[in-house]
């Protein structure tokens, strides 16, 4: 019987020739990633369970990015970063990227890619549901809680149930008014927020392989929004070039067999899709932007691991160039690297930062920021009855900080177009293909 | 593991995500400090829209006033319970508030794993759609040996899906105890 890419990678990590969906297996973990929200309780469980003999299974395989609640006066949040700092010092964790230093990176999922931890064919676990982002590199990556992470921290192993796979094929060319965000929002509308629970979401097709690594990460990032265990895209020449530039680790490229079995296969023509939103209060509450255009907004937000990468800001700049925003618009580069590039990358002779400044946007420091609400003083946080359109990943009640608020999820093109008009706006009003 | 659990039902709908279970702004408190960790109980389910809190009528607070424990100890949920983030603070907050078991149509993967591996809660899956049959406040008896839920208020009996392959971990009280029992770790 044929195997999918996910099954092949899991088989390798389990030391088996074959694995079958539904089978529980123990995996050897290549990288464990944690951050300031789940790192401290993970460390707490690890110390409690392993006691004085607590030992990190492999220091080189542990990566810690403080990224969630960074620029806040909240004493508890700051204490969590202090716990990570002490842990990294006491246990000599080299892959710790401390706040307030040159090493600080910003949002973990993008930082994993930028710092060369995403390696095709490997297995990565992280204490964050969006860990599935790394699957864009032809690897298995998924989120776990603190107990599982503490277990990995001490043993390097974890159990997992081999998932069935669902394949999503995007044929054709992606028009200029669409981004990866539109594709994944479209899928979510089709399969809903539990359509891929305990399953792998495999992305394929020429439109997918035409995307940059950053855009591919937007697809895999939101696999969890369908309940997916992992999202995965086979590594190709674009992946290899990205990885080689950032790491000298060896890698192995896996691909699904032609005769592999899938739970379902979805075929789309990317050229026929339209700009898409998820309406309040669920990422699967799909509609076309044109059906909700004219909806009055109080805030626009471009940021997060989903929508705060360099291409997201390139898209936004195309529309914000020469325009002024009508509602408060918050720009949060996902990583410090992206923040630096905003001052280097140009569009029509201006840097992206200059374009955003002239348009009247507010630019925040790299972190998860208001994507998940966070402490009261978080940059861009939704207040009271805010109506927000955002490039982030979730719009459950209260997600961005106020349970009275309403959040629409959309592509950076749609958010930028809406920022200029103050109402939800189809980017085709600004961009033609 | 206890063989029978008794408690009052608190009924919720579909897609109860981890932001509703414990809003992200509260993820900063210690989970190990006995006193501080009570905040998790206090804020448990605090972001569920009030009209959907305690079905079928809604408007039932899970936690009263300044309390950190709830009078409701068995949660009845719809599909995709615990979707969203990986925060283990979610099952922890429910356990802290006094919840012993959740009985839902289906679960999101990470919440389910966290409940089992952390030994916080017993996540049962229903055979029937129970959120239409059980009311918030109904007195329930959960028979863990026979996978049966009795609604003592309505004198109805509901069959639940066996815990299956996670039963040994639930019985051991979590992943670490299970791994010790099976000599995987010391």
């Amino acid at each position: 019987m044929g195997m999918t890419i996910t099954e092949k990678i899991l088989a390798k990590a389990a030391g088996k020739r074959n694995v079958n969906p539904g089978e529980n297996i123990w995996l050897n973990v290549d990288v464990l990633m944690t951050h300031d929200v789940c790192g401290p309780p993970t460390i707490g469980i690890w110390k409690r369970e392993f006691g004085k003999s607590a030992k990190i299974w492999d220091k080189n395989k542990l990566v810690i990015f403080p990224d969630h609640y960074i620029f806040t006066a909240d004493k508890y949040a700051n204490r969590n970063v202090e716990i990570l700092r002490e842990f990294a010092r006491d246990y000599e964790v080299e892959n710790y990227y401390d706040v307030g230093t040159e090493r600080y990176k910003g949002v973990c999922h993008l930082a994993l890619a930028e710092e060369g931890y995403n390696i095709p064919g490997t297995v990565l676990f992280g204490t964050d549901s969006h860990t599935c982002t790394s699957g864009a590199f032809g690897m298995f990556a998924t989120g776990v809680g603190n107990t599982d992470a503490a277990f990995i921290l001490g043993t390097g192993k974890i159990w997992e149930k081999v998932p069935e796979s669902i394949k999503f094929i995007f044929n054709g060319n992606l028009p200029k008014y669409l981004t990866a965000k539109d594709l994944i929002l479209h899928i979510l509308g089709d399969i809903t927020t539990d359509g891929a629970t305990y399953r792998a979401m495999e992305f394929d097709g020429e439109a997918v392989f035409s995307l940059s690594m950053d855009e591919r990460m937007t697809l895999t990032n939101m696999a969890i929004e369908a309940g997916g265990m992992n999202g995965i895209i086979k590594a190709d020449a674009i992946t290899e070039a990205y990885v080689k530039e950032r790491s000298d680790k060896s890698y192995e490229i896996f691909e699904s067999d032609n005769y592999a079995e899938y739970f379902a296969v979805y075929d789309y023509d990317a050229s026929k899709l339209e700009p898409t939103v998820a309406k309040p209060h669920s990422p699967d509450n799909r509609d076309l932007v044109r059906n909700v255009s004219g909806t009055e907004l109080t805030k626009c937000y471009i940021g997060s691991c989903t929508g705060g990468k360099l291409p997201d800001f390139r898209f936004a700049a195309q529309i914000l160039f020469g325009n002024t925003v009508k509602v408060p618009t918050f720009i949060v580069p996902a990583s410090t690297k992206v923040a630096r590039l905003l001052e280097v990358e140009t569009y029509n002779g201006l840097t992206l930062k200059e374009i955003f400044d002239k348009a009247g946007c507010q630019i925040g420091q790299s972190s998860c920021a208001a994507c998940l609400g966070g402490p009261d003083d978080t940059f861009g946080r939704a207040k009271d009855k805010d109506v927000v359109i955002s490039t982030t990943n979730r719009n459950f009640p209260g997600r961005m900080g106020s349970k009275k608020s309403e959040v629409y999820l959309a592509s950076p093109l749609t958010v930028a177009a809406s920022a200029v008009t103050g109402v939800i706006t189809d980017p085709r009003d600004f961009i033609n293909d | 593991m206890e063989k029978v659990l008794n408690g009052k039902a608190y009924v919720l709908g579909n897609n109860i995500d981890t932001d509703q279970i414990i809003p992200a702004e509260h993820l900063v408190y210690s989970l190990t400090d006995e006193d501080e960790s009570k905040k998790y109980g206090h804020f448990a389910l605090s972001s569920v829209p009030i009209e959907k809190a305690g079905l079928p009528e809604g408007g039932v607070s899970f936690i009263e006033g300044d309390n950190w424990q709830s009078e409701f100890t068995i949660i009845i949920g719809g599909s995709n319970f615990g979707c969203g983030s990986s925060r283990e603070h979610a099952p922890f907050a429910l356990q802290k508030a006094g919840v012993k078991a959740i009985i839902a149509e289906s679960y999101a993967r990470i919440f389910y794993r966290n409940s089992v591996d952390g030994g916080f809660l017993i996540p049962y899956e229903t055979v029937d759609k129970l959120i239409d049959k059980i009311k918030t406040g109904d007195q329930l008896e959960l028979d863990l040996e026979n996978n049966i839920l009795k609604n003592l208020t309505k004198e109805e009996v509901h069959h639940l899906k066996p815990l299956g392959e996670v039963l040994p971990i639930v019985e051991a009280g979590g992943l670490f105890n299970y791994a010790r029992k099976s000599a995987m770790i010391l």
Side-chain angles (χ1 to χ4, degrees), chain A residues 49 69 79 146-148 160, chain B residues 24 36 88 109 117 180:
Chain A
E49 296 294 337
Y69 306 150
R79 182 185 60 187
N146 309 329
T147 300
D148 285 346
E160 192 56 89
Chain B
E36 195 178 315
E88 194 162 296
R109 167 185 161 268
D117 284 355
R180 265 185 218 105

Side-chain angles (χ1 to χ4, degrees), chain A residues 24 49 69 76 79 127-128 142-143 145-148 159-161 193-194 372 374 381 394 396 399 403, chain B residues 15 17 19 24-25 28 30 36 46 80 84-86 88 107 109 113-114 117-118 165 176 179-180 184:
Chain A
N24 281 321
E49 296 294 337
Y69 306 150
Y76 295 111
R79 182 185 60 187
T127 59
D128 190 291
T142 192
N146 309 329
T147 300
D148 285 346
W159 70 274
E160 192 56 89
K161 184 192 277 196
T193 51
D194 60 358
L372 75 167
R381 194 175 191 271
R394 286 189 184 133
F396 298 126
R399 168 73 178 181
K403 65 175 169 177
Chain B
N15 299 313
D17 74 281
D19 281 290
E25 67 204 79
V28 292
S30 169
E36 195 178 315
S46 62
N80 205 22
S85 93
S86 69
E88 194 162 296
Y107 295 88
R109 167 185 161 268
R113 280 185 75 107
N114 288 346
D117 284 355
E165 61 212 351
F176 278 95
R180 265 185 218 105
M184 284 181 62

Side-chain angles (χ1 to χ4, degrees), chain A residues 176-219:
Chain A
K176 282 185 185 145
Y177 48 80
L178 294 182
T179 75
K181 185 65 173 287
D182 296 290
L183 304 185
I184 190 68
L185 288 177
H186 190 81
I187 289 175
L188 282 161
D190 279 354
I191 70 170
T192 78
T193 51
D194 60 358
T197 299
Y198 261 102
R199 298 196 176 107
M201 295 174 72
E202 186 177 326
F203 303 95
D204 201 351
E206 57 190 318
V208 171
F209 290 104
S210 74
L211 298 172
S212 64
M213 289 314 297
D214 285 314
E215 278 282 89
R216 292 181 194 188
M217 282 192 268
T218 303
L219 286 179

Side-chain angles (χ1 to χ4, degrees), chain A residues 131-152:
Chain A
T131 302
C132 52
T133 310
S134 295
F137 289 78
M139 59 194 285
F140 177 85
T142 192
V144 285
N146 309 329
T147 300
D148 285 346
F151 195 88
I152 297 169

Side-chain angles (χ1 to χ4, degrees), chain A residues 388-399:
Chain A
V388 187
I389 192 162
S390 173
T391 64
T392 54
N393 43 54
R394 286 189 184 133
N395 58 349
F396 298 126
R399 168 73 178 181

Side-chain angles (χ1 to χ4, degrees), chain A residues 265-283:
Chain A
V265 178
Y266 291 79
D267 242 306
Y268 300 101
D269 182 346
S271 68
K272 295 215 168 79
L273 298 177
E274 295 188 64
T276 302
V277 289
K279 297 183 288 188
H281 294 280
S282 182

